[in-house]
Amino acid sequence: MDFRLFPADERVRGLAAELHAEVAEAPILSPHGHVDPRMLADDVPFSDPAELFLTRDHYVTRLLHASGVPLADLGLDRDHPVDPREAWRILAAHWHRFAGTASGYWLTDELATLFGVDEELSPETADRIYSRVSVALAEPGFRPRALFDRFRIEVLATTDDPLDDLAPHAALAADPTFRGRVLPTFRPDAYTDPDAPGFAERVGRLLGATGSPATFAGYLDALQARRHYFIAHGAVSADHGVIEALTTDLDPAVAEELFRDAIAGTLDAAGSRVFRGHMLFQMARMSVADGLVMTVHPGVHRNHHRATFERFGPDTGHDIPVRTEYTENLRPLLNAFGTEPGFHLVLFAVDETVYSREVAPLAGFYPSVYIGAPWWFLDAPDAIQRWRSAITETAGFYRSSGFIDDTRAFLSIPARHDAARRSDAAFLARLVSEGRVSLPTARRVIRDLVDAIPREVFRL
């Protein structure tokens, strides 16, 4: 029997295995992630193992870079392509460095489960495993849509620019041969943060696309119009990747002045911070009105290393967590909307200290607030256990969101969801063994964590 991630104690391990069996084959609901929908719409075969497992996975490239491997050698410089087999050999030579990491666990799971690889990646096995994976990728069963079905994905949410035409989503929704739902997610950060590169130009295109006047009221109407467009294409949530969760409710005249300064490029740092806070408040107001679930992913210093960003672009492994504060920052928003019927606000964090101190107590009072699953640097087995321990005694299981995989690495989706299910089974097994939860209740909870809870929270 497969006892991965289960407790060492034999009795508790048996309980964990029993609970995991309840959900091992359950469909995957993925309400937040970053898979490109064109991959499924076009259904083009994957190019090579390095592209699939390595080049586009910043979890992997960042650790290799930290070990002294130039990112260009891994294929991240599109102007200077590398032999993918050579990039794969680099991964194999450094494979021992992934011991104990979530990335190492997921990659091992993917190679074994999908490709039947039962030997460890190493310089001696690198070419053999590469060839085996390459042969498999040429088969019809390894095209994106076939894997979507094999993975039992029922819902897959993408993350999309407000001005995207969402053509791939429309094509998939209209295709009777495609089973499952691929939903867009409204991600307005580049249009609500005056410090974002090209902010004024983006807002100009937004106003032009919606025929809205260049006023703050017109700007809000334009954002609302694009939200409605997303909803018409199946969106259930709006995502906000802010540096801090500050919310402010401004007088309209003050907001208009800040908006004009932002468009003119004359807004100072303090003014930009207040404007961002007001826009997060406005996004909550819009979610109350239109029903999009509001998810907040704060606390990450994006593109920490300037030279890497300038050469390789964003999402290349140098985003670093910072401290997060919710209680005071969200108070204006929650005083205005926290008890509004139907409003759903999902709070994520990469600052572990905030879960027991702030997020669980907020979710334990406000009916609108849900505790987001461990995200990014915390979506690993031990961190999931710590997260459950931090939130459950205060808020229980049913104020949490269900797992999100938050990934661009398509093949890792089932590995990540299974790891979360195993971690939750282990946590529940301990509670059962300690007499804190009955076994029938634990069975219900484990089923609800992968099905009823994410359906409720994300309106699926």
Side-chain angles (χ1 to χ4, degrees):
M1 185 174 287
D2 183 357
F3 290 122
R4 287 176 301 150
L5 305 186
F6 295 159
D9 179 271
E10 186 173 348
R11 177 172 177 269
V12 185
R13 186 171 65 224
L15 287 169
E18 182 179 343
L19 291 169
H20 177 255
E22 295 276 343
V23 294
E25 302 299 320
I28 287 176
L29 304 176
S30 177
H32 175 78
H34 303 283
V35 170
D36 188 337
R38 292 173 297 183
M39 178 192 71
L40 291 164
D42 299 339
D43 200 32
V44 174
F46 296 108
S47 57
D48 59 73
E51 179 79 8
L52 196 56
F53 285 97
L54 172 59
T55 305
R56 294 189 179 276
D57 192 341
H58 60 77
Y59 283 80
V60 177
T61 59
R62 70 187 309 273
L63 189 54
L64 291 173
H65 181 268
S67 302
V69 178
L71 292 178
D73 290 356
L74 301 174
L76 270 67
D77 189 340
R78 298 298 180 183
D79 295 329
H80 299 89
V82 301
D83 180 351
R85 190 179 285 269
E86 288 299 327
W88 183 264
R89 288 168 178 162
I90 292 173
L91 173 62
H94 291 271
W95 182 244
H96 59 286
R97 301 182 188 276
F98 289 87
T101 69
S103 297
Y105 177 87
W106 296 327
L107 288 172
T108 300
D109 186 301
E110 294 164 49
L111 288 169
T113 304
L114 298 177
F115 301 97
V117 174
D118 57 4
E119 57 183 343
E120 190 156 309
L121 189 60
S122 69
E124 293 73 31
T125 64
D127 283 353
R128 185 163 59 248
I129 293 174
Y130 185 95
S131 296
R132 182 169 185 165
V133 174
S134 294
V135 169
L137 293 180
E139 298 173 359
F142 281 86
R143 292 174 73 128
R145 291 193 183 191
L147 288 173
F148 187 94
D149 292 339
R150 179 176 173 181
F151 294 165
R152 300 183 306 279
I153 299 175
E154 181 178 324
V155 175
L156 178 70
T158 62
T159 307
D160 309 276
D161 185 278
L163 289 182
D164 281 351
D165 63 12
L166 306 182
H169 299 85
L172 289 167
D175 187 344
T177 69
F178 181 75
R179 295 183 294 274
R181 300 163 63 194
V182 178
L183 310 178
T185 299
F186 188 78
R187 181 69 176 262
D189 301 330
Y191 297 79
T192 58
D193 180 1
D195 292 335
F199 172 78
E201 186 271 334
R202 287 177 184 271
V203 171
R205 287 193 291 112
L206 172 69
L207 297 175
T210 57
S212 303
T215 63
F216 184 69
Y219 165 64
L220 293 181
D221 288 344
L223 287 167
Q224 187 73 76
R226 293 306 298 173
R227 289 169 66 102
H228 288 157
Y229 182 83
F230 270 61
I231 291 169
H233 284 74
V236 297
S237 66
D239 184 58
H240 308 276
V242 293
I243 185 68
E244 61 177 333
L246 176 71
T247 59
T248 56
D249 183 14
L250 300 178
D251 180 86
V254 175
E256 179 69 38
E257 182 178 357
L258 289 174
F259 175 70
R260 292 189 180 280
D261 288 345
I263 295 300
T266 59
L267 200 59
D268 62 15
S272 289
R273 181 173 183 266
V274 172
F275 186 84
R276 283 193 297 270
H278 186 56
M279 288 312 300
L280 199 59
F281 184 93
Q282 290 292 335
M283 292 296 101
R285 179 187 62 77
M286 292 184 192
S287 280
V288 170
D290 63 26
L292 283 182
V293 177
M294 183 178 187
T295 65
V296 181
H297 286 85
V300 178
H301 187 128
R302 309 268 176 175
N303 307 313
H304 193 268
H305 189 243
R306 180 178 298 175
T308 298
F309 172 67
E310 290 174 350
R311 181 174 178 186
F312 300 106
D315 306 316
T316 47
H318 50 109
D319 297 335
I320 308 297
V322 297
R323 288 185 295 273
T324 295
E325 198 282 334
Y326 270 129
T327 302
E328 288 303 319
N329 278 338
L330 283 185
R331 194 175 182 197
L333 184 157
L334 291 173
N335 271 278
F337 310 118
T339 57
E340 284 288 328
F343 177 44
H344 287 194
L345 173 63
V346 188
L347 304 181
F348 294 86
V350 284
D351 175 359
E352 288 195 66
T353 67
V354 80
Y355 285 128
S356 61
R357 187 182 67 243
E358 300 182 38
V359 180
L362 287 169
F365 173 77
Y366 288 98
S368 63
V369 175
Y370 294 89
I371 307 165
W375 164 55
W376 204 340
F377 289 91
L378 304 181
D379 55 0
D382 285 346
I384 293 173
Q385 291 284 309
R386 293 193 298 270
W387 173 78
R388 280 286 176 213
S389 294
I391 69 167
T392 302
E393 289 184 335
T394 298
F397 292 96
Y398 287 83
R399 301 304 300 161
S400 63
S401 68
F403 183 67
I404 64 159
D405 50 72
D406 185 47
T407 187
R408 291 174 177 80
F410 181 59
L411 262 64
S412 75
I413 289 176
R416 291 169 188 248
H417 281 264
D418 183 63
R421 294 173 186 187
R422 289 174 177 275
S423 294
D424 281 336
F427 184 82
L428 280 162
R430 178 172 66 82
L431 297 190
V432 171
S433 70
E434 293 173 357
R436 298 165 64 184
V437 170
S438 71
L439 184 56
T441 295
R443 287 198 182 102
R444 173 176 179 172
V445 169
I446 194 73
R447 292 193 300 267
D448 288 349
L449 286 172
V450 304
D451 190 89
I453 288 174
R455 287 188 196 278
E456 173 190 342
V457 174
F458 285 93
R459 306 185 189 282
L460 301 176

